[in-house]
Amino acid sequence: MFIKLATKSLINRKGSVLLTLLAMTVSIFVLLGVEHIRHQAKESFANTVSGVDLIVGARTGNLNLLLYSVFRIGSPTNNISWESYEAIAADRNVEWTIPISLGDSHKGYRVMGTTQDYFEYFSYGQQHKLTFESGAPFQSVYDAVLGYEVAKKLDYQLGDELTLAHGIASTSFSRHDDRPFKVVGILAPTGTPVDQTVHVSLQGIEAIHVGWQQGVKLPGRTLTAEQAAQLELTPKSITAFMVGLKSRIVTFRVQSQINKYPHEPLLAILPGVALSELWQMMGLLENTLRLISVLVLVAALLGMSAMLLASIRERDHEIQLLRTVGAPPMFLFLLIELEALIISFLSIVLSTSTLYLCLITLEELLIAQFGLHIKTSILSENSVLLVAIIVGATFVAAAIPSLSAYRKASAV
Amino acid sequence: MDINLRDVKFAYPDAPEKTVLDIDQWSVSEAERVFVQGASGGGKSTLLNLLSGMISSTQGEISVLGERLDKMNRRQRDQFRANHIGYVFQQFNLIPYLDALDNILLASHFSKLKNGVALREEGKTLLTTLNISPSDWNKPTRSLSIGQQQRVAIARALINKPELLIADEPTSSLDQHNRDNFMSILMSLIDEHNITLVLVSHDASLSTHFNRVEVLNDINQMEVNRCSSSSPRKV
């Protein structure tokens, strides 16, 4: 009867209730959406690399090195020499290294030159190794392994051929079209930038640049693909490399050794530290977004409170009547609270389902445009807590009209 | 005695020096039908609110159905009212957006009798007795005529099987025809269930239905001091 009374009373004032419901829905949508994307983005970033103790590149900012080596965002400032790489890789504390060579692209997807160690040692998320959806790591010079998204978006199968473009723009004019690569492997989805990467061997990167100087093809100096493959293809330089150490204890010592490397200015960073630096930088933006969404919710709650308070003024007779049939003033208090909670509950249901629909629709876009992998499942500890807070805040905001009803009920 | 007031005084808390009701002694016996005639402003609502326990007296003894209302706290009075007293107002007797049946069931919600299905049946029986056709049972009561609304109000007041029914100008918003109709149904139900009735109205023509007629000004000493009084009559 209690719930029926509250529901019918709300239906009776459907105009103002509906508007309040919409305001609440929008605000909860914003709050949950911001929180979800924030949370997921953080997770997505944090999951991008794991098990890598150090990342080494040319001397630049910590973040810059992290961004271009792991996230394929931005451009490397400088390369490091192959000799330096070999010297550090030979250190007795180093267990493995993954060299990375960037700078080419295929239809907007970045191409990364590396070695087979990449498939063996690189891990993401909770120490997941890369696995193959089909095929195997590259063996020969013109083999390519595609990230899951690349293969899916461009519809490549094993055995397909593709040509790389010089530079990272999707409309590059300088193409390495004389030396096509063959797809030999497609990686399983990882939810990291790996999915958007074309992997080739370092030798492959060298081979397509034979006969190039200063980033342009020199006419008359090009070799055929076969001739190029026969050459000594040891790279002269690479963009960066990842380091796995035998023991974590020596991380800082090795880092400082690399940073003081006498023959070339190098920078070694700890991915975790650089990531948290990234978050610190994003922290202000994040908190601003959060604050705005909280304020929007507060505004909606106050609006609801005002709507209920105005309704109480029209409900004098109802209150009097309920008192006459024996309803204690507390009943009136709870009745108004219940009305508020019903509105809040409906708004939560509406906004979560809208958010869910939006995420499903935007999932592809977010991956394609920002490389952001957002899980569509909104249900998390965080969101449950948020919903609980919203319900609590509703109760508090509705206490104003509820108390007014209580006082009115006590007076008759 | 169903109602017994002794030395009752009431003043509103915000004007404690101004006594609005002052009753030396007033009582109603079981199954008596009492008509109290009085215009508004004569302490009418105050008297009825005291009897139903909506408000408590500033001083004095109020016993209703053998219970001392002045000794109860508000919660006990609310509970007592829900269980034992039916109440009919001049208007606004029903929640406008609930249907007739739900209005009746709402009244039973606060009383001690809460046996859903049987209660529903009883509500339907009452509505039938009160000449409300079944097609009107599930309409929001705001769409019923005033005459129908007042009759549903009787059903609402009687659903908890009260021993005492208090009616405050129940016919004042009705026309002649509806008024007679209302009074005859009310009286037959009162007889049938052996309920004590206290009805207050300014309309002296209603007094024909009653075996005891009182004038509010005679009961309320405060009014005696202010206005000229007529002597109590027995019909």
Side-chain angles (χ1 to χ4, degrees), chain A residues 274-320:
Chain A
L275 267 174
S276 64
E277 240 174 81
L278 182 65
W279 287 125
Q280 250 165 35
M281 214 174 70
M282 307 271 275
L284 187 67
L285 176 74
E286 241 185 288
N287 288 333
T288 310
L289 270 177
R290 227 176 180 178
L291 182 70
I292 290 171
S293 50
V294 166
L295 288 179
V296 169
L297 179 71
V298 168
L301 283 172
L302 288 179
M304 178 184 70
S305 191
M307 184 275 286
L308 288 172
L309 193 61
S311 81
I312 301 230
R313 210 154 296 156
E314 302 155 12
R315 294 168 78 180
D316 277 357
H317 292 304
E318 209 178 310
I319 292 172
Q320 162 112 31

Side-chain angles (χ1 to χ4, degrees), chain B residues 185-196:
Chain B
I185 294 181
L186 179 66
M187 285 308 166
S188 72
L189 279 169
I190 292 289
D191 277 346
E192 190 185 323
H193 296 97
N194 208 28
I195 297 168
T196 309

Side-chain angles (χ1 to χ4, degrees), chain A residues 312 319 323 328-334 336 399-412, chain B residues 74:
Chain A
I312 301 230
I319 292 172
R323 289 284 295 130
M330 198 57 196
F331 180 87
L332 273 302
F333 179 88
L334 293 175
I336 306 302
I400 303 162
S402 301
L403 272 176
S404 155
Y406 181 91
R407 247 183 313 200
K408 214 161 231 182
S410 310
V412 285
Chain B
R74 187 170 65 196

Side-chain angles (χ1 to χ4, degrees), chain A residues 4 9 12 317-318 323, chain B residues 78 81 92-93 97 102 142:
Chain A
K4 190 175 196 172
S9 148
N12 184 45
H317 292 304
E318 209 178 310
R323 289 284 295 130
Chain B
D78 288 345
R81 180 168 62 254
F92 308 118
N93 273 300
Y97 49 82
D102 281 339
R142 73 156 81 79

